[in-house]
Amino acid sequence: MSISPAQPLQLRPASGWLPPALDESAVDVLYDDLVAASRHRRRRGYSQPMLRVLVNSDQVDPQFGPQATAAHVLPEPRAWVQRLAGALLECMTGVRSTSQISRWVSPLVYERINARAVIAKRRGARPMHRSLVRKVHVCAPDDGVVEASVVIQHDGRVRAMALRLVGVDGRWMITAMELG
């Protein structure tokens, strides 16, 4: 049995890729459009339609929709807010992946955090130190609802964060967040 000699490898140019890759100027245009659209949405009070957490609403099936959870069934909110507030800020600055907090925030809050993370990653700035939660103040205006104000030190700055948590399906879910 004889072995035939190997044929030389022929290199050919790659055919046209579909869709073609975006160049830097096209990426910049898309990014500017995203920023302009988010500013326009905030002014009008518009948010992209997506699944909202509607607890105790006529539009939600009472058996299969999100279920409201009483406060006595949920974990202690102060410790929970303390752990999650720093993680939220780290997600917004691009240090932590936003997918890590997707279970704990509503889709609208997740959209806002993800948009800030994209902008932070594009800038390329990385914080020097981890976030340090200084103070947490919690009040409960209703059963299964908590409003918290948090003072956070992050990368040499002290910032304020306001959160609204609602008990849904046996866990706390952040349905509103403001960062100062």
Side-chain angles (χ1 to χ4, degrees):
M1 177 186 274
S2 71
I3 299 175
S4 62
Q7 296 295 322
L9 184 64
Q10 293 181 359
L11 297 177
R12 297 181 184 162
S15 61
W17 291 90
L18 293 176
L22 296 174
D23 61 347
E24 279 297 313
S25 61
V27 172
D28 289 339
V29 168
L30 288 174
Y31 177 74
D32 293 339
D33 290 346
L34 174 69
V35 171
S38 68
R39 285 186 188 139
H40 183 64
R41 269 189 245 131
R42 268 189 245 129
R43 253 189 323 228
R44 288 185 4 210
Y46 171 79
S47 65
Q48 180 178 348
M50 57 177 46
L51 177 64
R52 295 267 191 305
V53 179
L54 300 173
V55 180
N56 298 333
S57 171
D58 295 335
Q59 300 172 353
V60 175
D61 186 335
Q63 297 297 320
F64 299 104
Q67 301 293 314
T69 305
H72 66 84
V73 179
L74 297 166
E76 200 278 313
R78 182 180 306 275
W80 194 86
V81 168
Q82 177 124 13
R83 286 192 306 263
L84 197 62
L88 290 173
L89 195 57
E90 289 172 1
C91 287
M92 287 185 276
T93 56
V95 174
R96 182 185 294 251
S97 170
T98 55
S99 63
Q100 294 180 9
I101 56 145
S102 63
R103 175 174 160 68
W104 310 108
V105 298
S106 70
L108 185 60
V109 173
Y110 182 78
E111 176 189 333
R112 290 179 60 205
I113 291 171
N114 199 32
R116 285 185 144 193
V118 167
I119 291 170
K121 286 178 185 174
R122 180 150 172 89
R123 287 184 183 154
R126 290 288 185 172
M128 302 293 281
H129 305 288
R130 292 187 51 143
S131 301
L132 175 65
V133 177
R134 295 249 180 215
K135 290 184 182 181
V136 176
H137 297 282
V138 175
C139 73
D142 197 7
D143 186 35
V145 177
V146 168
E147 293 178 348
S149 61
V150 184
V151 178
I152 300 176
Q153 182 175 349
H154 181 79
D155 204 26
R157 291 180 62 189
V158 177
R159 305 185 78 171
M161 181 183 290
L163 303 171
R164 181 175 178 92
L165 293 78
V166 177
V168 178
D169 294 335
R171 67 181 187 272
W172 288 114
M173 179 177 281
I174 298 175
T175 58
M177 179 196 73
E178 290 296 325
L179 182 65

